[in-house]
Amino acid sequence: MPSSRAERRAPAAREFDAAFFRRYYGDRATRVADTGDARRLVALIAGIVDYHGLRVRRILDAGCGVGLLRAPLLRRFRRARYEGLEVSRYLCERHGWHEGSVAEFSAAEPYDLVVCHDVLQYLPAPEAARALANLARLSRGALYLSVLTRRDWSHAADQSRTDRNVHLRSADWYRSRLRRRFRHLGAGVHLVRPIEPMLWELEAPWR
């Protein structure tokens, strides 16, 4: 299997334009997610966040795309303000998101909930590492993170629909960096350190 130095290479500059989002989010025949997927994902995140008693007033959706998560997040966290961050100029002009990279974005104050869903595989390793460090700076409560890994590509992904022009790395590459700043609660939800979750032994993620 390729190492992080020989990971699958994405093009140096992607054009996240109307055609890209029409293929992966608009066309029923080729899209990878729809509003039903978004509702189920938000129910999962909100259930874990609510269980741990975290107050959510500020949400950052880092790499928000067409904004599928916006409406279900605001339904579940009714007092929260949602902000979308997106590198695609096309989407920022269309939807009013913050334009920028998750590796570089800064905010006046951190967010109670940060969502970064299937974004970091588009970044080369140095930029992805900076993005993980920046997610810790942007978070003061919970982070939901999902990333396509090498094993996901070969064992789980629908390769006929999933964008293959990405950087594929091992799950351990991400875990080793996340552990420095977060505690994993399960299902992709993490708490920033030093917040200490109260978990029964079999509720905690298995080692």
Side-chain angles (χ1 to χ4, degrees), residues 126-162:
E127 192 175 353
R130 291 198 304 274
L132 288 168
N134 198 34
L135 286 169
R137 288 189 288 270
L138 292 169
S139 303
R140 66 181 170 202
L143 165 72
Y144 171 78
L145 178 74
S146 67
V147 184
L148 181 73
T149 67
R150 283 202 302 261
R151 180 174 176 80
D152 291 332
W153 177 255
S154 59
H155 289 80
D158 180 348
Q159 295 187 15
S160 68
R161 291 175 180 253
T162 306

Side-chain angles (χ1 to χ4, degrees), residues 20-198:
F20 176 92
F21 290 100
R22 184 166 54 249
R23 173 179 179 180
Y24 290 108
Y25 295 94
D27 190 329
R28 287 177 178 269
T30 58
R31 67 189 181 192
V32 295
D34 59 21
T35 55
D37 298 315
R39 287 194 303 270
R40 288 186 289 273
L41 177 58
V42 169
L44 173 69
I45 297 169
I48 296 174
V49 168
D50 287 344
Y51 180 75
H52 289 280
L54 297 178
R55 189 186 74 164
V56 176
R57 295 292 184 268
R58 285 169 49 81
I59 300 171
L60 177 68
D61 190 353
C64 58
V66 297
L68 283 178
L69 298 178
R70 181 180 183 274
L73 280 167
L74 290 177
R75 280 196 297 269
R76 291 300 298 259
F77 301 106
R78 294 187 179 276
R79 297 186 179 182
R81 175 182 174 181
Y82 172 98
E83 297 178 36
L85 171 66
E86 179 54 55
V87 73
S88 166
R89 177 161 296 177
Y90 160 74
L91 287 184
C92 292
E93 292 175 350
R94 185 178 178 90
H95 297 289
W97 312 138
H98 297 300
E99 184 178 352
S101 167
V102 66
E104 308 295 339
F105 179 72
S106 62
E109 60 179 301
Y111 297 85
D112 304 304
L113 173 61
V114 177
V115 176
C116 188
H117 182 39
D118 291 352
V119 173
L120 298 190
Q121 66 262 31
Y122 287 101
L123 305 180
E127 192 175 353
R130 291 198 304 274
L132 288 168
N134 198 34
L135 286 169
R137 288 189 288 270
L138 292 169
S139 303
R140 66 181 170 202
L143 165 72
Y144 171 78
L145 178 74
S146 67
V147 184
L148 181 73
T149 67
R150 283 202 302 261
R151 180 174 176 80
D152 291 332
W153 177 255
S154 59
H155 289 80
D158 180 348
Q159 295 187 15
S160 68
R161 291 175 180 253
T162 306
D163 188 4
R164 64 182 59 238
N165 294 318
V166 295
H167 301 276
L168 295 178
R169 293 174 279 263
S170 71
D172 282 341
W173 189 93
Y174 293 99
R175 290 185 187 119
S176 65
R177 289 159 176 81
L178 285 164
R179 285 191 187 105
R180 300 169 190 170
R181 302 172 176 91
F182 295 96
R183 290 187 173 90
H184 186 218
L185 295 176
V189 180
H190 305 73
L191 280 183
V192 296
R193 296 179 184 274
I195 299 175
E196 184 70 50
M198 179 60 69

